[in-house]
């Protein structure tokens, strides 16, 4: 058995050379029980207890509970009915989050990182958390290192440590060197032994930035939390002042003073807005999980809804990713048998093979028994692989323009013609300068390469991708296809799928290595070929500098840097572990075609939240305005909690839920908070102004206070109803039914429960004033809305986009 804590690196290597069977299963379980497993805190869903606490113990639910207790102390039980809405909100929020948790936890099992561990002499896949100290495991191209390890044997292994050290070039790893968690294999393979686990890993000790997952930034949640914090600073002091005003200045009983203060504070609380945000995001997540898309953070859904540039890879996205060998075109007088023998020998020199190598190996036949002196595996940065064989020289395989540079222009033209027909073209070349010594020094190509053959492969086009590309074209999302293939090959595929900009392509090797040149290239072109992993990242960064919100799809290790750079990373579940671990959104069925559904869901949630948020803020605005004005002027707050609940239920909460679930696919624009505030303020100011007019008018007449209170409720309801119409504009049959139903339900409840609501039968003066107030308040609100549009224009609509608020 291997020592769990070798005294030095050499001792570990010697022990493992003697025994390659790995740990016995019983010993692995013992170490796991002893806390020596690779259990690292992961970004995951909340526990059930956390979900309950996060919904039940928010600032506003605690505040509402305290207000409810104060109302109970006054023995005016009916005014405590507002707590029913709070309880319902808590239960709905908990139920929806638990459903979302269940769906995501089930899908997490499918997408969990797996490790090829060796135990009891056999290899099998286990979750990374079950890896223990001293375990042996195999590492292949595309795998991420999940625990600090020691290389015991390696075949041309290169790892990318950019996420840990910032070093962009791959690092060679040989026997006896360390592998750090958070790095990933870009070429070659290895057998390694775990030397540190869990929180002892390098990535865990050094910096949180080295962790695998980049949490998407939620502008909406940030905006709402900013608003909630601002309201929280004022609500309790203002409520206390209202109580003192009512009790000492106006001489009311402490019970009435409490009731009025509670009513004002309920009006200021936008508790339904935060709940509705979480609820609609959770519903969207549940819907997508059924389609096979795992949204690892609710904010990922929001970010994708704001995307205006989508960067796609060709292989596996627009094509099936299953390559088929078409034919070999021998060059320089070589025959097909010579080509097959040389290529088969090269492919057999590597244990780990990509899709291109597998397709070629299946067509080349049995490899000859040639002795490999040295090997250089394929990597996206090099774009070639090669091996030197005793008595046979060096054979390389790669992109024609990379291997030949400016030589053999006739062959390069021939390769370009095949690429324009949609073939993937690979060049096989040889060098016999030194038959018994390696030409592959420092991973550089031999000085003299002789073309052997052009190898043509085909990749089946996913005809269904046409509909996806059409959706994005119709929904203001610009497509950029970034590939390592020949740009003509990629352009041919794009043309067959109907991409309008298929003729706007460029070979990325022609782009100068500076920010300005890269920005100009990504702006002027839609298709990019021969792109290196680092350039992919630079292109995404350039698009972001131009003010775009960028989503990146990918599946391989060559995509990782660009995926992390993007605002939203989308990865198929069949992709490499390194790519999956960066994903904000995972496509479980490896089906890019669900992306339009993901975008639709995100846009529906975010755009509709933009609509309904103004309803909640309108209530907060007039509650603050009326509270402050009436406090300064020495008037009592006009509503009681039961009346405030009536206004909120049928003018805000209920219609907001229906509006939040409507279809809406307009691209989301920035400026969420400023837009909803600008939209809510005209209604809030109108309510405040008219309630003050009514108070001043009736105070002079000495009219019954119950009639004044009734009139104020009716006028407020009408103004907020107009806000609901504005939010719902343009009207559809469904929206019209919701608006009408809310008005009828309000009237019905006001009549049926008049005694509970303390509503008197309206007298002639109340009815006449209400009839006059309706058109005047409508005119006032519309005039204020027009004025706000002039002095505080929505800059996000400068390009002619549809506003999120109708």
């Amino acid at each position: 058995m291997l020592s769990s804590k070798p005294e030095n690196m050499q001792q570990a290597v010697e022990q493992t050379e003697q025994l390659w069977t790995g740990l016995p299963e019983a010993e692995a379980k013992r170490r796991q029980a002893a806390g020596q497993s690779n259990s690292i805190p992961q970004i995951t869903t909340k526990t059930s207890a956390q979900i309950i606490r996060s919904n039940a113990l928010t600032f506003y639910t605690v505040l509402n509970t305290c207000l409810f207790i104060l109302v109970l102390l006054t023995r005016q039980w009916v005014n405590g009915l507002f707590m029913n809405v709070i309880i319902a909100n808590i239960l709905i929020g908990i139920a929806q989050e638990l459903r979302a948790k269940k769906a995501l936890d089930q899908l997490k099992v499918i997408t969990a990182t797996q490790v090829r561990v060796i135990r009891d002499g056999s290899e099998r896949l286990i979750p990374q958390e079950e890896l223990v100290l001293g375990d042996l495991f195999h590492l292949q191209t595309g795998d991420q290192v999940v625990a600090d390890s020691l290389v015991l044997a390696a075949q041309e292994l290169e790892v990318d440590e950019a996420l840990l050290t910032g070093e962009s070039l791959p690092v060679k790893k040989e026997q006896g060197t360390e592998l750090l968690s958070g790095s990933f294999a870009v070429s070659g393979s290895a057998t390694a032994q775990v030397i540190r686990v869990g929180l002892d890993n390098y990535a865990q000790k050094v910096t949180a930035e080295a962790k695998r997952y980049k949490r998407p930034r939620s502008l909406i949640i940030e905006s709402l939390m900013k608003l909630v914090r601002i309201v929280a600073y004022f609500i309790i002091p203002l409520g206390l002042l209202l109580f003192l005003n009512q009790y000492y200045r106006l001489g009311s009983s402490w019970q009435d003073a409490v009731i009025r203060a509670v009513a004002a504070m309920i009006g200021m609380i936008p508790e339904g807005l935060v709940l509705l945000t979480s609820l609609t995001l959770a519903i969207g997540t549940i819907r997508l999980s059924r389609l096979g898309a795992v949204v690892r953070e609710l904010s990922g859904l929001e970010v994708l809804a704001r995307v205006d540039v989508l960067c796609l890879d060709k292989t596996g996205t627009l094509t099936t990713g299953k390559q088929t060998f078409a034919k070999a075109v021998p060059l320089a007088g070589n025959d097909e048998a010579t080509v097959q023998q040389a290529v088969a020998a090269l492919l057999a020199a590597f244990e780990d093979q990509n899709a291109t190598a597998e397709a070629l190996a299946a067509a080349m036949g049995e490899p000859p028994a040639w002795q490999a002196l040295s090997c250089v595996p394929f990597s996206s940065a090099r774009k070639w692989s090669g091996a030197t064989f005793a008595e046979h020289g060096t054979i390389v395989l790669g992109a024609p323009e990379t291997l030949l540079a400016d030589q053999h222009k006739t062959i390069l033209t021939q390769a370009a013609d095949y690429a324009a027909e949609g073939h993937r073209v690979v060049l096989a070349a040889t060098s016999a300068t030194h038959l018994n010594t390696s030409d592959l020094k420092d991973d550089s190509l031999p000085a003299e390469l002789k073309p052997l053959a052009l190898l043509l492969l085909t990749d089946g086009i996913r005809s269904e991708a046409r509909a996806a590309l059409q959706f994005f074209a119709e929904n203001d999302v610009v497509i950029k296809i970034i590939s390592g293939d020949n740009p003509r090959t990629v352009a041919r595929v794009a043309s067959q799928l109907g991409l309008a900009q298929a003729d706007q392509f460029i070979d990325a090797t022609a782009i100068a290595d500076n920010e300005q040149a890269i920005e100009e290239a990504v702006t002027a072109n839609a298709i990019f070929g021969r792109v290196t992993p680092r350039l992919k990242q630079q292109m995404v960064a350039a698009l972001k500098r131009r003010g775009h919100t960028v989503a990146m799809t990918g599946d391989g290790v060559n995509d990782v840097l660009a995926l992390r750079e993007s605002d939203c990373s989308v990865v198929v579940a069949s992709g490499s572990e390194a790519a999956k671990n960066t994903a904000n959104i995972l496509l479980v069925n490896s089906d890019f075609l669900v992306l339009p559904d993901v975008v639709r869901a995100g846009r529906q949630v975010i755009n509709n939240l933009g609509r309904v948020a103004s309803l909640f803020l309108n209530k907060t605005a007039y509650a603050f305005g009326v509270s402050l004005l009436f406090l300064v002027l020495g008037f009592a707050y006009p509503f009681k909690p039961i009346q405030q609940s009536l206004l909120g239920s049928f003018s805000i909460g209920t219609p907001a839920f229906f509006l939040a679930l409507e279809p809406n696919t307009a691209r989301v624009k920035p400026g969420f908070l400023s837009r909803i505030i600008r939209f809510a303020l005209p209604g809030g100011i109108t309510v405040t102004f008219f309630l003050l007019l009514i108070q001043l008018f009736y105070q002079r007449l000495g009219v019954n206070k119950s009639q004044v209170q009734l009139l104020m409720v009716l006028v407020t309801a009408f103004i907020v109803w107009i806000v609901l119409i504005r939010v719902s504009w343009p009207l559809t049959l469904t929206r019209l039914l919701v608006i009408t139903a809310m008005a009828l339900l309000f009237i019905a409840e006001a009549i049926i429960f008049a005694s509970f609501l303390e509503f008197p039968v309206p007298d002639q003066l109340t009815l006449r004033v209400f009839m006059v107030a309706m058109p005047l308040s409508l005119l006032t609100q519309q005039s204020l809305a027009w004025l706000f549009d002039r002095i505080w224009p929505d800059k996000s609509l400068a390009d002619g986009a549809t506003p999120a608020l109708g």
Side-chain angles (χ1 to χ4, degrees), residues 390-692:
E391 306 299 332
H392 298 282
T394 297
I395 302 170
V396 294
L397 201 65
E401 56 270 33
T402 299
L403 299 185
L404 299 181
D406 294 329
Q407 304 173 13
H408 303 281
K409 292 186 177 180
T410 302
I411 295 176
L412 289 175
T413 301
Q414 190 178 1
D417 291 339
Y418 284 125
E421 295 174 4
H423 289 100
R424 180 168 193 177
V425 184
V426 179
L427 175 70
T430 63
S431 173
T433 306
H434 305 287
L435 293 181
N436 295 308
T437 58
S438 177
D439 278 345
L440 302 174
K441 298 179 184 292
D442 299 323
D443 295 345
S444 58
L445 287 168
E448 296 181 13
L449 280 175
K450 297 180 179 179
L452 181 62
L454 291 175
L455 307 173
L456 310 184
L457 299 100
T458 59
D459 192 352
I461 294 175
R462 303 183 66 178
S463 57
E464 305 89 350
R466 176 185 290 270
L469 293 181
Q470 184 177 356
F471 167 83
F472 290 117
E474 294 172 351
N475 284 274
D476 305 317
V477 178
V478 176
I479 297 294
K480 303 286 183 182
I481 302 178
I482 304 175
S483 176
D485 283 355
N486 186 296
R488 293 179 179 272
T489 304
V490 185
R492 175 71 174 179
V493 171
S495 176
Q496 290 175 306
L497 292 174
L499 185 67
Q501 299 81 24
D503 59 338
Q504 300 173 7
F505 61 87
I506 186 173
D507 188 323
T509 58
I511 303 175
D513 188 15
N514 62 74
E515 288 188 358
Q516 182 178 352
I518 294 172
E519 284 190 23
E520 291 174 354
V522 296
T523 302
N525 297 279
I527 295 170
F528 307 84
R530 302 304 183 198
V531 182
T532 63
R534 178 59 63 180
L535 182 56
K536 280 188 182 183
Q537 180 190 36
Q538 292 172 326
M539 292 169 70
V540 172
L543 288 166
K544 291 170 65 177
R545 286 196 300 272
R546 289 286 178 119
H548 296 291
T549 302
V550 184
M552 175 78 194
T553 70
D555 60 356
V557 293
N558 58 315
D559 299 316
V560 170
L561 296 176
L563 288 168
R564 285 182 60 85
E565 183 67 41
S566 68
D567 296 294
C568 184
S569 54
V570 183
V571 178
V572 294
S574 61
S576 69
E577 294 296 337
K580 286 192 293 183
N581 286 328
T582 67
N584 301 135
I585 297 175
L586 274 171
L587 306 182
V588 177
N589 299 323
S590 300
D591 187 3
F592 157 73
L593 301 182
V594 305
L595 260 188
D597 292 314
V598 177
V599 174
R600 288 188 189 99
R603 290 183 173 186
Q604 172 184 321
V605 169
I606 308 309
N607 284 325
N608 288 338
L609 279 175
R611 287 181 177 277
V612 302
S614 57
L615 289 174
F616 292 94
L617 292 192
N618 176 67
K619 176 176 76 95
T620 299
Y622 77 68
F624 263 111
V626 172
S627 297
L628 286 171
L629 271 179
F630 279 41
L631 178 64
V632 171
L633 298 175
F635 300 141
Y637 188 76
F639 305 131
K640 292 190 174 182
I642 185 66
Q643 298 161 350
Q644 195 77 62
S645 297
L646 173 67
L647 288 169
S649 297
F650 295 114
S651 61
I652 301 171
T654 306
F657 182 78
F658 286 104
L659 291 174
L661 299 179
E662 277 197 334
N664 192 327
T665 59
R667 180 164 61 85
V668 176
K669 289 290 186 177
F672 173 83
L673 185 58
S674 64
R675 189 158 51 246
I676 62 176
I677 291 176
R678 184 178 56 251
F679 198 89
L681 283 179
I685 294 172
T686 303
V687 171
T688 303
F689 177 70
F690 272 83
L691 292 191
L692 180 61

Side-chain angles (χ1 to χ4, degrees), residues 1-6 11-24 27 30-31 118 133-137 152 191-194:
M1 185 174 65
L2 295 172
S3 171
S4 62
K5 294 184 178 180
Q11 181 183 345
V13 173
E14 291 173 355
Q15 291 172 342
T16 310
E17 286 176 343
Q18 295 171 6
L19 186 63
W20 289 89
T21 58
L23 292 175
E27 174 63 14
R30 187 192 69 78
R31 295 188 183 190
I118 305 169
L133 198 65
D135 257 330
L136 295 186
F137 67 94
L152 306 179
T191 301
Q193 181 186 25
V194 177

Side-chain angles (χ1 to χ4, degrees), residues 339-382:
V339 172
Q340 289 182 350
Q341 187 180 43
V343 174
L346 173 61
L347 296 174
F350 302 100
E351 289 182 6
D352 186 37
Q353 297 187 346
N354 56 26
T356 301
E358 289 177 353
L360 290 174
M364 295 298 108
E366 285 295 319
W370 292 359
Q371 179 188 356
L373 301 177
S374 64
C375 300
V376 176
F378 178 84
S379 73
S380 298
R382 276 190 297 268

Side-chain angles (χ1 to χ4, degrees), residues 19 25 84 100 193 245 300 314 332 343 389 538 677 682 714 737 783 789 794:
L19 186 63
E25 189 63 38
N84 292 337
Q193 181 186 25
N245 175 70
K314 176 184 75 70
V343 174
F389 299 93
Q538 292 172 326
I677 291 176
L714 293 177
L737 288 174
S783 299
D789 286 341
D794 187 352

